[in-house]
Amino acid sequence: MKADAYGHSLALCAPAVVRAGAQWLGVTSVEEGVHARTVCSSARILVISGVFPGQGAAVLKHNLTPVVWDETHFAELESAARAANAAPQSIPVHLEIDTGMSRQGIAPEETANVLKRFTPQSPLRLEGVMTHLYAADEADGRITGEQLARLELALTQIKSAGHSVEWLNVGNSAALLGGQAQAIGSLAARFGMKALLRPGFALYGLAPKVEGAEDDRQLLTEQQLKPVLAWKTRVVSLRTLQPGDTVGYNATFTATEPMRVALIAVGYGDGLTRSLGNRFALLVRGRRAPLIGRVSMDQAVMDVTEIPEVQSGDEVILIGSQGGETITAFDHAKAAQTIPWEIFTRIGARVPRVAV
Ligand SMILES: *Cc1c(COP(=O)(O)O)cnc(C)c1O
């Protein structure tokens, strides 16, 4: 649910996944966790990316479950627990192990040392062990195998120190759909733990591209999932251009013949990638209309010469289907040289999110 549910709206999506049976929500920060708590009063909320000094009280007050690995996380949570007179073992935390991404977590070799913090008197309870797979979208599984082996080293130390931990918290959408859920599940079972996967992207109805996957498997997941988001705007007004007329900032488009163009109410301030000007097409009246000229902050212009029935107020599709045509977040990502995760999370706050 991080990044406002990948741009889809936490307020709309978090209650929807809880209604569908989700018991845990994952967010990145304490701020996001507090927001998630306002829309979901009872779900567990995992705060993935650390606790800053001063945020411990909010973690306790809103019953958030932080991922911890740094000395500052322990210090902050322990002092908030003292201030709140929290009972021993009353604050569940998930300890992250760095199995190779070098982003978050303790080295497996540090595990025994860090475990000393989890005394019976500590207000913190080691409820989960977490790591993040950084190449789950690579079909050969080599890196994931190495990461799980490093994780196993840490789990062995945790077990021999006498801790029994409930959750093995590993794996994103690619791990879930790319066939690694099995390996995660059996690792968890070997240590008497339950597997907790953290799919994000797939929740929104898209399958990550698995590098080197057999096409059949990729297609299967694509057919089983349905994107939940459509992104729409409308035609503001139309005008006719004469040969020699130019369009937009810096005149990057010049008409060479009479044209009909539509002004649309979306720009880079809404998340439409600026570099798509003169390089992408959107849908109106079920047909593709090329973006011409530069994309402005608030507006863009489409060539609708071939679609003469277009009128002011017509619906324009940036992502979604119209007639027999479809534009996906993958199409935007390819044209913008990025990944669909970034396309979704850049859709601006001023674009209203509406549940249908
Ligand atoms: C974002 C994130 C996920 C979800 O990744 P998807 O590829 O969107 O499924 C899982 N775990 C962590 C730690 C993340 O940061």
Side-chain angles (χ1 to χ4, degrees):
M1 289 292 134
K2 66 193 186 190
D4 201 27
Y6 289 43
H8 291 56
S9 170
L10 173 81
L12 294 179
C13 295
V17 297
V18 168
R19 279 196 301 276
Q23 293 165 20
W24 287 81
L25 304 174
V27 297
T28 206
S29 62
V30 171
E31 289 90 340
E32 285 187 347
V34 170
H35 184 199
R37 184 55 80 212
T38 63
V39 293
C40 290
S41 56
S42 58
R44 298 293 304 273
I45 296 174
L46 184 75
V47 174
I48 291 174
S49 304
V51 176
F52 285 112
Q55 294 187 319
V59 168
L60 271 59
K61 178 172 176 211
H62 299 281
N63 196 15
L64 310 178
T65 305
V67 172
V68 294
W69 68 91
D70 194 81
E71 172 57 33
T72 59
H73 306 153
F74 289 101
E76 173 62 18
L77 292 167
E78 286 164 1
S79 94
R82 267 194 306 277
N85 245 323
Q89 313 264 326
S90 62
I91 302 163
V93 299
H94 291 211
L95 176 66
E96 179 151 1
I97 311 295
D98 179 9
T99 54
M101 194 180 191
S102 306
R103 194 171 72 169
Q104 296 187 178
I106 60 166
E109 302 76 47
E110 291 174 55
T111 307
N113 204 26
V114 172
L115 285 175
K116 290 180 191 151
R117 285 211 94 119
F118 293 98
T119 60
Q121 298 75 38
S122 167
L124 307 184
R125 181 173 86 252
L126 183 57
E127 185 197 34
V129 173
M130 174 186 166
T131 199
H132 192 41
L133 304 178
Y134 63 94
D137 57 351
E138 295 175 14
D140 69 11
R142 184 184 59 80
I143 291 171
T144 297
E146 290 172 8
Q147 286 194 267
L148 294 181
R150 279 184 220 125
L151 183 62
E152 183 155 4
L153 283 179
L155 293 174
T156 305
Q157 294 176 61
I158 291 166
K159 195 174 177 185
S160 59
H163 293 272
S164 77
V165 183
E166 187 176 356
W167 295 104
L168 185 63
N169 181 340
V170 183
N172 56 9
S173 301
L176 183 62
L177 300 173
Q180 289 143 5
Q182 210 73 33
I184 296 165
S186 60
L187 180 61
R190 252 180 290 145
F191 286 87
M193 302 166 83
K194 295 183 285 189
L196 189 161
L197 277 81
R198 305 183 304 271
F201 193 63
L203 287 178
Y204 306 102
L206 293 97
K209 304 269 180 240
V210 176
E211 212 133 311
E214 299 150 33
D215 285 354
D216 284 359
R217 195 173 75 196
Q218 185 79 45
L219 280 177
L220 194 65
T221 31
E222 276 171 12
Q223 282 162 6
Q224 287 165 339
L225 295 172
K226 191 161 160 260
V228 300
L229 177 143
W231 183 10
K232 304 174 181 181
T233 186
R234 283 191 283 180
V235 172
V236 177
S237 60
L238 291 128
R239 70 188 55 228
T240 302
L241 302 185
Q242 298 307 325
D245 286 348
T246 68
V247 176
Y249 285 113
N250 308 110
T252 63
F253 183 91
T254 305
T256 55
E257 56 199 316
M259 292 178 75
R260 191 156 165 77
V261 301
L263 179 69
I264 59 172
V266 62
Y268 63 79
D270 302 289
L272 176 61
T273 308
R274 182 171 175 273
S275 63
L276 296 195
N278 298 315
R279 297 206 294 114
F280 201 68
L282 305 179
L283 302 179
V284 62
R285 299 254 168 181
R287 297 173 62 191
R288 286 181 192 265
L291 289 169
I292 56 172
R294 286 223 204 284
V295 170
S296 300
M297 183 188 290
D298 312 304
Q299 299 179 306
V301 174
M302 302 191 310
D303 175 6
V304 294
T305 311
E306 305 291 325
I307 322 170
E309 62 277 25
V310 173
Q311 292 176 7
S312 298
D314 276 2
E315 181 178 85
V316 173
I317 300 289
L318 291 102
I319 292 178
S321 298
Q322 199 185 49
E325 299 277 347
T326 298
I327 302 173
T328 69
F330 280 100
D331 297 328
H332 280 261
K334 191 167 179 215
Q337 293 182 293
T338 181
I339 54 175
W341 287 253
E342 187 180 1
I343 299 297
F344 283 138
T345 53
R346 281 197 321 214
I347 299 175
R350 73 176 171 187
V351 179
R353 269 60 166 182
V354 181
V356 291

